[in-house]
Amino acid sequence: MKSTDAILHTRGESRYVDDLPQPEGLLHAAVFFSPIAHGRIQNFDVSRARQSEGVVAVLTAEDIPGENQIGPLIPDQELLAEEEVVYIGQPVALIVAQTAETARKAAGRIVLDVEEYPVITDPREAYQKGQIFGTPRTFQLGDVDAAWPHCEVVVEGHCEVGGQEHVYLETQRARAVPGEGRVIRVYSSTQSPYAVQKHVARVLGYPNHLIEVDVLRLGGGFGGKEDQATPWACLTALATWYTGHPVELVLTRQEDMLMTGKRHPYCSDFKIGVTREGKILAYEVRHYQNAGAAADLSPAILERTLFHSTNSYYIPNVRLFAVSCRTHLPPFTAFRGFGGPQGMFVMEAAIARVAEALGMPREEIQRKNLLQENDLFPYGQRVVDCRARRSWDVAMETYRFSAWKKRVEQFNRKHFHRKKGLAVMPICFGISFTATFLNQASALVHVYTDGSVSISTGGVEMGQGLRANITTIAARALGIRPERIKIESTNTTRIANMSPSAASATTVLNGNATLLAIRQIVSRLKSMIARELNLSDPDRVTIHDEKVWYRGSQTGWTWTQLVQTAYGKRINLSAQGFFATPGIYFDKQKEKGRPFAYHVYGTAILEVTLDCLRGIYTIDAVKIVHDLGRPLNRLIDLGQVEGGLAQGLGWMTVEELLFDEKGRNLSSALATYKPPDVYFMPDDLQVTFLENADEPIGPYGNKAVGEPPFMYGIGVFFALRQAMQAFRPRKDYEFKAPLTPERVLLELHREEVRQGCLRPATVESARQSD
Amino acid sequence: MEIPIKVTVNGEVYEHRVEPRMLLVTFLREVLGLTGTHVGCDTSSCGACTILMDGKAVKSCTLLAVQADGAELLTMEGLARNGELHPIQEGFWREHGLQCGFCTPGMIMAAYQLLEENASPDEKEIRRALEGNYCRCTGYHNIVKSVQYAAKKINR
Ligand code: FES
Ligand code: FES
């Protein structure tokens, strides 16, 4: 099943915010932002910008009629800075002009003098200075302190993982259009229309119902538009409120990269204790999350780091500590995996260190400690329907791991400076918003008298295939052709109080809500036809292939006939469905509960080849066994696995987000920040879905697929590390990601680098081999 | 000062007066209303804005509208003939060579040029033709398959 979206895309007819026909009098906006990471505003003069030709208005914090506040969890984020600036890229003024170019030019005429304060970019420093968001969190299981003496080997280490730029190909954008009375309609590229509605209303001092937010589709989101689409929408609405004109704001790539948050960088310390056989007895970790200058979603992301800090393993004694640290960088935000990947990385690093200490293959330790049915997660949820071992075993068998490993070892024996590395990466990812209340969704279904169907849900199409998924679900539930079904834009007047499209849960929540709505309509239709045809058992009426059946034989009625008759008989052909994930809760006081409806499992095997003299490498193969439940749309699900993997691999290898000590982003353009290109992905990419793996919550046995595959990418770090070990075994290679070619080279040749040269012997023997 | 230009876009002739600094992509999107061409970076890095100018794939964010004076342009909107998808469009649809669709026009136009010059490209040649285009959603494999699909169809 492919949605109509795909056809529109291939024709160039799909519309994004700024492709919508331009309304009369449309004005364009540009943002003036702070060039300083921390300081007090001394002198702020916008008069020259205001006088520029073509400029209609220059708006500052003073012009905000409501509350100058857009913090999603904690009210700590001003829409436009008032007295203090806290990161480079923080919006301070909005210029509204006839053209975007005029607006940007006028921004250059704004004078902003800032008395500079000290800048913190390191989360540990922030923590020491008490600069944190919320309170530190600790998850515990068993008794770690009591367990250390029983461990035969205890090792410790540090990890540092970098942030990640979303690079959604469509930059942040919004358009606000005045409606009747005080109504403002906002077209926004947001994953969270309700967040936009709420915050626009807050900023303007309006009730929510005066703000209508409409989202047709996104050119990618990946978490970057979960809450950080809000400021741009608020700014356009503010400008519309002020000028009475429609106003559009489209960030350039560089503005977007400078002004918006990204995946959080983390620093972590770990300590792990095992038996000589490699059974993990105790694990302790301290995560310092670099949250940036405002809380944004960081505390929620921190929580998921804790939830996933032991990845797919059962460890009886655990203490997991995490704290969200305030620095003077753009507020870091949601990105596929939502803090989970950072937690898992440290776990995998700890296992690598143990393996190196014991001289045991890493995968042996991984396998020995995999979760099993009825184990406990550190947050108190019991492991049910566990597929950790199953996916592991299927992967080992399907992809013939032992033979593969032998080939790699052989290669490494034969080659001197080119080395291969092989790593296994199991994943376990909990599905549900960890804020339990967000696990709700509604859908609105209309059947028209010609038999065509319109469906609105709270889910946003951002390329993940939501429209196709909802269409598939609805066509199956109604028993009609998918061509009859249209999935509408996501609109706050049709669906109220919607949760963001995030947490991989969009199809789960909105698909189930759609099913619940459709079931009401179908049941009404069945009762009606039973009455019409004098059938004793309405439950034995079915609709499929656009026809009505009774006890398995055709009644002669078609779908359209059915609908028309129902209309004539004044049967309600519309329904609203509401779904709330059952059985989930979490007690933050005790840090225990059942936060997830279920878990997604899987295992990947990754192979790399590393040129140990140049540091360059290729990812040769990634072979995955993934737990998808029952596929809903195989191609779309596969696309999610592949796309997620690409981002995960990118995060670990080539995507290097850099800030200097002044808080300047040194990777704020596509020339200095490298996302994976067309050569990046392994030639040999295989994905097998676990068979007979239906998930009861569904819909239709399906499991969420958006985020989990991202974390397979973590394996590439350890494959590279293994290749490095094959060239030069040493225990002190750093756990610092991304492992760019440059970093690999510097790590491999640390001594030579220190001495200022490579040893000629190395080069010579390299020439002789290969 | 505005400068008169005359361009043929998707077979139709347009005459307009434009600012000398207006980008070609701005001209297409805002003056002609052809929003099928996207802007992903405006610094020649992402390829979303790729179109064909006199048969060559170019990044329309890095050309001025006046540079296209007298040229023949082909954009996304001009690929389908009488409602029939071009094989390359069909390929992206069938092989699921897209997710959010934002990179798609650029990918398709870059691939179109390749297929015009070389109707049976091997995988390497396809990747080389697409090395100026970023896609953040897919892992590129389906995009390559889409082009292969089109090549097969063209050669049939
Ligand atoms: S918009 Fe032209 S290359 Fe990115
Ligand atoms: S499909 Fe989204 S960027 Fe390629």
Side-chain angles (χ1 to χ4, degrees):
Chain A
M1 200 1 259
K2 298 196 192 71
S3 71
T4 43
D5 268 51
I7 275 288
L8 295 175
H9 287 319
T10 56
R11 287 175 175 280
E13 287 169 4
S14 49
R15 285 186 169 159
Y16 302 84
V17 172
D18 58 327
D19 296 341
L20 299 168
Q22 300 210 350
E24 189 69 28
L26 179 70
L27 300 174
H28 298 264
V31 179
F32 172 82
F33 57 85
S34 171
I36 301 292
H38 190 202
R40 180 156 295 275
I41 296 177
Q42 295 289 1
N43 173 27
F44 181 37
D45 182 3
V46 298
S47 55
R48 283 189 57 222
R50 249 181 210 141
Q51 288 148 14
S52 303
E53 204 190 311
V55 168
V56 178
V58 178
L59 304 174
T60 66
E62 282 176 7
D63 300 301
I64 293 173
E67 225 183 310
N68 182 16
Q69 187 48 246
I70 53 163
L73 299 180
I74 302 174
D76 69 344
Q77 201 176 347
E78 294 165 348
L79 177 62
L80 293 169
E82 280 177 30
E83 291 167 1
E84 197 181 297
V85 288
V86 285
Y87 64 95
I88 293 174
Q90 183 181 6
V92 187
L94 185 78
I95 303 96
V96 188
Q98 300 297 341
T99 71
E101 206 194 334
T102 313
R104 286 206 170 84
K105 232 165 69 189
R109 301 219 170 94
I110 291 178
V111 179
L112 175 74
D113 296 328
V114 175
E115 180 196 342
E116 292 192 39
Y117 292 164
V119 172
I120 301 177
T121 59
D122 171 26
R124 287 180 204 261
E125 185 189 340
Y127 177 66
Q128 273 152 17
K129 295 192 169 142
Q131 293 294 313
I132 63 170
F133 294 112
T135 45
R137 307 270 303 263
T138 305
F139 285 17
Q140 298 207 64
L141 187 68
D143 186 342
V144 195
D145 298 321
W148 295 125
H150 300 289
C151 301
E152 287 162 315
V153 177
V154 176
V155 291
E156 297 181 44
H158 312 289
C159 293
E160 247 179 75
V161 287
Q164 185 177 27
E165 173 63 51
H166 298 89
V167 201
Y168 27 67
L169 219 60
E170 174 208 40
T171 53
Q172 303 272 5
R173 59 197 61 192
R175 181 193 286 179
V177 180
E180 196 177 61
R182 295 191 296 155
V183 168
I184 291 180
R185 183 173 301 137
V186 183
Y187 300 94
S188 162
S189 178
T190 178
Q191 290 172 243
S192 189
Y194 177 51
V196 167
Q197 179 191 31
K198 212 166 43 177
H199 285 106
V200 169
R202 188 178 187 179
V203 163
L204 296 182
Y206 278 13
N208 288 356
H209 70 203
L210 289 182
I211 308 301
E212 175 183 345
V213 180
D214 191 88
V215 182
L216 199 46
R217 66 171 58 75
L218 272 54
F222 317 119
K225 296 171 181 171
E226 183 171 340
D227 264 291
Q228 299 219 357
T230 300
W232 326 111
C234 287
L235 288 171
T236 55
L238 174 69
T240 290
W241 168 82
Y242 189 90
T243 62
H245 279 264
V247 177
E248 181 171 288
L249 171 61
V250 177
L251 299 191
T252 65
R253 177 61 58 189
Q254 200 165 0
E255 289 170 345
D256 191 304
M257 289 175 95
L258 274 172
M259 291 195 267
T260 67
K262 302 128 205 333
R263 182 187 300 283
H264 294 76
Y266 274 60
C267 295
S268 312
D269 304 323
F270 66 80
K271 182 173 172 188
I272 185 167
V274 295
T275 65
R276 230 173 272 295
E277 287 72 44
K279 186 95 193 118
I280 307 173
L281 297 182
Y283 179 56
E284 185 169 5
V285 63
R286 293 176 73 82
H287 295 294
Y288 301 90
Q289 177 198 53
N290 191 338
D296 192 80
L297 297 168
S298 296
I301 291 163
L302 189 82
E303 193 174 43
R304 202 178 260 280
T305 302
L306 289 171
F307 284 127
H308 295 306
S309 277
T310 51
N311 191 14
S312 299
Y313 310 107
Y314 172 66
I315 304 175
N317 302 290
V318 166
R319 181 159 54 223
L320 315 167
F321 166 94
V323 59
S324 188
C325 310
R326 185 204 311 264
T327 58
H328 298 107
L329 299 178
F332 291 101
T333 192
F335 195 153
R336 215 171 192 162
F338 206 71
Q342 291 94 326
M344 289 187 195
F345 177 81
V346 182
M347 180 78 256
E348 294 300 323
I351 290 178
R353 182 128 292 170
V354 164
E356 287 159 14
L358 289 176
M360 207 184 258
R362 198 173 144 267
E363 65 272 8
E364 214 175 302
I365 295 164
Q366 290 175 306
R367 192 188 48 85
K368 276 198 182 131
N369 294 284
L370 284 178
L371 286 166
Q372 300 197 58
E373 202 68 11
N374 280 321
D375 280 344
L376 266 191
F377 286 106
Y379 44 91
Q381 182 160 355
R382 213 156 266 296
V383 178
V384 264
D385 214 351
C386 182
R387 292 163 189 172
R389 270 172 198 262
R390 201 174 140 201
S391 70
W392 179 283
D393 292 342
V394 176
M396 291 294 138
E397 214 169 291
T398 315
Y399 303 128
R400 298 173 197 286
F401 181 77
S402 339
W404 190 355
K405 191 167 173 183
K406 281 205 189 88
R407 280 200 307 279
V408 165
E409 284 165 356
Q410 243 165 31
F411 179 96
N412 285 349
R413 271 195 298 274
K414 263 207 233 129
H415 296 81
F416 173 77
H417 85 280
R418 279 168 63 229
K419 296 292 182 190
K420 277 189 187 290
L422 193 62
V424 189
M425 180 67 204
I427 61 151
C428 167
F429 197 78
I431 301 303
S432 292
F433 283 99
T434 52
T436 305
F437 73 93
L438 289 175
N439 295 287
Q440 54 174 310
S442 58
L444 182 62
V445 178
H446 298 315
V447 177
Y448 297 102
T449 54
D450 64 349
S452 65
V453 176
S454 150
I455 300 178
S456 295
T457 74
V460 169
E461 174 63 60
M462 45 188 168
Q464 85 280 48
L466 181 70
R467 280 207 169 92
N469 285 346
I470 300 285
T471 306
T472 304
I473 291 164
R476 216 184 282 179
L478 288 164
I480 59 174
R481 284 180 294 120
E483 291 75 19
R484 286 197 188 267
I485 296 163
K486 176 166 177 276
I487 310 298
E488 307 291 349
S489 66
T490 317
N491 187 295
T492 52
T493 64
R494 272 177 267 120
I495 304 290
N497 315 325
M498 58 188 87
S499 296
S501 285
S504 309
T506 314
T507 298
V508 184
L509 295 174
N510 295 283
N512 275 313
T514 304
L515 273 182
L516 291 173
I518 286 176
R519 285 193 187 131
Q520 296 171 44
I521 298 176
V522 167
S523 130
R524 288 176 210 146
L525 290 172
K526 284 182 181 173
S527 310
M528 181 206 74
I529 192 106
R531 279 196 303 275
E532 283 303 289
L533 299 178
N534 253 327
L535 309 173
S536 53
D537 191 356
D539 288 341
R540 302 287 305 270
V541 175
T542 51
I543 309 168
H544 55 89
D545 297 319
E546 306 237 323
K547 295 189 188 73
V548 184
W549 308 64
Y550 184 60
R551 296 179 191 246
S553 23
Q554 287 201 33
T555 59
W557 282 58
T558 63
W559 166 254
T560 7
Q561 242 177 322
L562 182 68
V563 168
Q564 274 161 7
T565 312
Y567 173 72
K569 296 207 165 288
R570 299 186 295 172
I571 306 274
N572 183 359
L573 287 171
S574 297
Q576 190 245 14
F578 178 79
F579 178 77
T581 314
I584 49 173
Y585 64 94
F586 193 70
D587 181 342
K588 280 197 187 181
Q589 245 59 56
K590 299 200 181 93
E591 301 285 26
K592 298 282 178 197
R594 185 179 181 275
F596 301 117
Y598 57 83
H599 291 79
V600 168
Y601 297 88
T603 301
I605 309 175
L606 306 91
E607 184 198 298
V608 298
T609 307
L610 171 65
D611 178 333
C612 299
L613 289 189
R614 296 172 185 84
I616 49 180
Y617 49 77
T618 51
I619 305 167
D620 305 322
V622 178
K623 301 186 187 185
I624 296 171
V625 172
H626 186 75
D627 165 26
L628 186 75
R630 174 192 294 252
L632 200 53
N633 283 302
R634 194 167 272 274
L635 264 183
I636 289 175
D637 292 333
L638 267 173
Q640 285 297 298
V641 174
E642 202 179 309
L645 172 71
Q647 291 179 348
L649 293 171
W651 176 52
M652 283 285 113
T653 56
V654 292
E655 298 188 39
E656 192 172 32
L657 184 67
L658 283 173
F659 293 93
D660 70 6
E661 73 287 352
K662 287 264 186 203
R664 276 182 299 231
N665 184 341
L666 304 177
S667 46
S668 63
L670 288 178
T672 44
Y673 184 90
K674 183 158 181 57
D677 64 12
V678 71
Y679 298 115
F680 176 81
M681 286 293 274
D683 289 340
D684 191 1
L685 173 60
Q686 296 180 37
V687 183
T688 307
F689 292 136
L690 275 186
E691 303 272 340
N692 301 322
D694 285 23
E695 167 51 52
I697 289 179
Y700 290 124
N702 188 244
K703 272 191 171 185
V705 66
E707 289 164 290
F710 179 91
M711 280 142 284
Y712 293 130
I714 294 171
V716 73
F717 184 94
F718 298 94
L720 284 166
R721 186 177 173 92
Q722 210 200 45
M724 291 160 69
Q725 297 286 16
F727 180 71
R728 255 188 188 176
R730 65 192 301 164
K731 296 211 166 104
D732 61 346
Y733 286 130
E734 293 186 327
F735 293 107
K736 207 169 173 187
L739 203 38
T740 57
E742 180 186 357
R743 184 160 294 137
V744 171
L745 194 70
L746 295 178
E747 280 276 279
L748 281 174
H749 304 286
R750 235 186 263 163
E751 281 73 34
E752 289 87 339
V753 170
R754 216 171 288 143
Q755 290 159 14
C757 66
L758 286 174
R759 260 179 300 157
T762 321
V763 179
E764 209 37 54
S765 34
R767 239 180 246 140
Q768 280 153 19
S769 75
D770 295 270
Chain B
M1 183 193 59
E2 294 195 326
I3 291 176
I5 60 168
K6 181 174 171 183
V7 284
T8 312
V9 185
N10 304 329
E12 266 184 60
V13 180
Y14 297 88
E15 292 188 55
H16 279 274
R17 300 181 67 81
V18 299
E19 279 280 336
R21 282 176 328 175
M22 179 182 269
L23 295 174
L24 182 52
V25 69
T26 315
F27 175 73
L28 290 170
R29 289 181 53 85
E30 279 164 31
V31 181
L32 303 187
L34 295 170
T35 53
T37 303
H38 298 158
V39 179
C41 69
D42 65 39
T43 51
S44 292
S45 313
C46 77
C49 64
T50 307
I51 63 161
L52 257 67
M53 182 156 125
D54 294 328
K56 281 262 168 265
V58 295
K59 291 181 172 170
S60 61
C61 73
T62 320
L63 281 167
L64 299 170
V66 292
Q67 286 175 284
D69 187 23
E72 206 159 305
L73 309 182
L74 181 66
T75 70
M76 264 312 260
E77 291 90 342
L79 281 187
R81 289 279 137 80
N82 314 319
E84 277 267 313
L85 288 185
H86 185 277
I88 182 72
Q89 293 174 297
E90 203 185 307
F92 272 75
W93 182 65
R94 288 208 175 265
E95 298 291 337
H96 193 53
L98 56 87
Q99 289 184 24
C100 80
F102 205 79
C103 70
T104 313
M107 289 285 178
I108 287 189
M109 296 314 291
Y112 178 90
Q113 184 207 7
L114 168 73
L115 293 175
E116 287 285 289
E117 288 173 357
N118 175 1
S120 328
D122 60 21
E123 190 183 326
K124 258 201 185 132
E125 290 167 323
I126 295 176
R127 291 196 188 259
R128 192 167 323 127
L130 300 178
E131 66 185 9
N133 294 65
Y134 276 135
C135 173
R136 188 54 153 170
C137 299
T138 74
Y140 297 95
H141 281 348
N142 286 354
I143 293 178
V144 173
K145 279 188 215 152
S146 307
V147 183
Q148 284 166 336
Y149 173 98
K152 237 188 242 148
K153 178 145 193 205
I154 291 170
N155 289 325
R156 213 182 292 140

